[in-house]
Amino acid sequence: MADSGELREVLASIDREDPGLRAFLDVWPEDALARLPAASRLPLAGLPFAVKGPTGLRSYAARRLIAAGGVPVGSTSVPGPGTHWQTWGLGRHGRTVNPWRPDRTPGGSSAGSAAAVAAGLVPLATGSDGAGSVRIPAAWCGVFGLKTTNGLLPSPDRSGLASAGVLAASAAEAETYLRCVLDGHACVPPVLPLSAAYSPDLGFAETEPEVAAVVRGAVRRLEAAGVVRLTGGLDLLDPAAAWFAARGGDVRPPEAEVRAENDRRLDAFFARTPLLLTPVTPNRPHGHEGPGDAFSTALTWAFNLSGHPAASVPAGFTGDGCPVGLQLVAARGRDAELLGAAGAVERALSGPGAPSAQVREPRG
C-alpha cells in the first residue's frame, strides 16, 4: 500500500535503476500520482504494479487490479522486433538484463515484469504464459510466478495456449493478485505434508545436471520440513510438436494423439496425487546471444497444452550465480490450492537452513 511519498520513491527508483536494467517500455509518473487519491480509498490502497507489454494496461487483469485500488506505474519489456520470442525483452533503454547476471537473459516473454520484480522496483507485475512465458522469467530472475488454469481468466490468445499470470515478490503478493482478478477466490491453506511426485525431466527433457541437483536439493528440504511426501514420478510424451501444431492451427493426427495421451496421463496422475514437482527449465539462463538449439520451454509447455495451473518458486542457485526455479503443477481449476501449496514451499525454502545463496541480493 502506498501514500504519495512511497509512490514517488517507487517512481524515483524506476527512473534511477531502469537505464541499467531496461525492464520498462514506458513509465507513467503523472498518471500514477493522479490515480493515487481515488485508489487509496479502495482495498489495494494504491499498491504499485507494472503491466506486461504495450497493451498490458488494457488486459483484464490490469483493469481488475486498478478497480481494486492498484496503481499501474509502467509497462514492461517484451521481445522487440527482430528478437526471438524465447530469448529476451527489449525495453526503452535497450536489451533487458537479468538482475542477478546482467550477461544473461531474464527469460521471456514476460521479461521486464520479472526483472522489475526481482530488482525490487514493484511488488508485482502482470504477465501471460503461452509456453512458459511467466514461469521461465520467474525462475531465471528468482521471483515467484503463476500461470493460471487455461480459460480461468480472459485471454486474447485464439489458440487457447496462453493464460494470464503474475510475477510477484512472493506467493502472498500473487495471492493479492488472484483475489482481485478472480471473483470468489478464497485462500486454501494446505494440509501438510502434501502428497507429491517429483520428476527431473518428465521422461524426455535433457535437464542440466546442476539444475536438476539444485531442484532435487530443494525437494529434499521440503521432505525434511514435512511440506511434501513423495509418492512417485510422472513421464509424459515430448509435447514440442503438439505445441507447435496447436500454435500454428494445423494439428494432424500424430500431434493430436500426443496431446490426448499426455492429457490421459495427467488426468490419471492428478486423480491420485495433488501436486507435481519439476524444474521450471532444463537449463540455466543463457546469454544474450540466444538459446541455441535448447528449448527452455521443454518442461513448461506441456501444461499450456493441458491447461493445468503451474507456479515457479525460487529453489536456489547454480554455482555461477544463476537462479533456478522449482515448478509446482496442480489439477485444473485448483489455482487456490496451488497458491496455498506454493506459499508453504516458499516458506520452507527461504527459512532457516536454506542455502546462503537464497539470501543473496541481485546485482542490478
Side-chain angles (χ1 to χ4, degrees), residues 104-297:
R104 306 292 176 94
T105 176
S109 61
S110 304
S113 287
V117 172
L121 300 181
V122 288
L124 65 85
T126 64
S128 58
D129 190 315
S133 293
V134 163
R135 289 162 288 164
I136 292 169
W140 286 356
C141 290
V143 299
F144 183 84
L146 172 70
K147 176 196 97 67
T148 56
T149 297
N150 291 39
L152 185 69
L153 296 169
S155 170
D157 179 30
R158 294 182 179 179
S159 73
L161 295 172
S163 184
V166 63
L167 290 298
S170 66
E173 293 286 4
E175 185 79 48
T176 298
Y177 164 90
L178 206 58
R179 189 174 66 248
C180 292
V181 303
L182 185 61
D183 290 333
H185 171 74
C187 179
V188 179
V191 177
L192 305 180
L194 292 160
S195 179
Y198 168 67
S199 174
D201 55 14
L202 290 175
F204 59 84
E206 296 182 4
T207 304
E208 288 183 19
E210 191 175 0
V211 169
V214 170
V215 175
R216 189 66 181 92
V219 173
R220 288 194 184 100
R221 297 199 299 278
L222 296 176
E223 287 184 282
V227 175
V228 300
R229 182 182 65 251
L230 293 186
T231 61
L234 173 68
D235 286 347
L236 298 176
L237 302 177
D238 187 342
W243 187 92
F244 281 114
R247 173 59 75 193
D250 183 20
V251 181
R252 300 179 182 182
E255 292 86 12
E257 179 51 35
V258 167
R259 186 173 186 176
E261 176 58 25
N262 280 347
D263 281 348
R264 286 191 287 268
R265 294 185 189 188
L266 286 163
D267 289 345
F269 173 85
F270 285 114
R272 63 181 185 272
T273 309
L275 192 63
L276 173 64
L277 307 173
T278 79
V280 174
T281 64
N283 54 338
R284 70 194 73 201
H286 53 75
H288 292 289
E289 71 282 356
D293 295 330
F295 282 112
S296 305
T297 53

Side-chain angles (χ1 to χ4, degrees), residues 54-153:
T55 63
L57 196 59
R58 300 199 298 270
S59 70
Y60 177 81
R63 288 185 281 114
R64 292 297 299 263
L65 288 167
I66 292 168
V71 172
V73 296
S75 60
T76 58
S77 68
V78 292
T83 62
H84 197 281
W85 66 270
Q86 289 179 298
T87 307
W88 51 66
L90 192 64
R92 59 181 175 157
H93 299 291
R95 186 174 56 206
T96 307
V97 303
N98 189 312
W100 294 95
R101 286 283 305 262
D103 63 325
R104 306 292 176 94
T105 176
S109 61
S110 304
S113 287
V117 172
L121 300 181
V122 288
L124 65 85
T126 64
S128 58
D129 190 315
S133 293
V134 163
R135 289 162 288 164
I136 292 169
W140 286 356
C141 290
V143 299
F144 183 84
L146 172 70
K147 176 196 97 67
T148 56
T149 297
N150 291 39
L152 185 69
L153 296 169

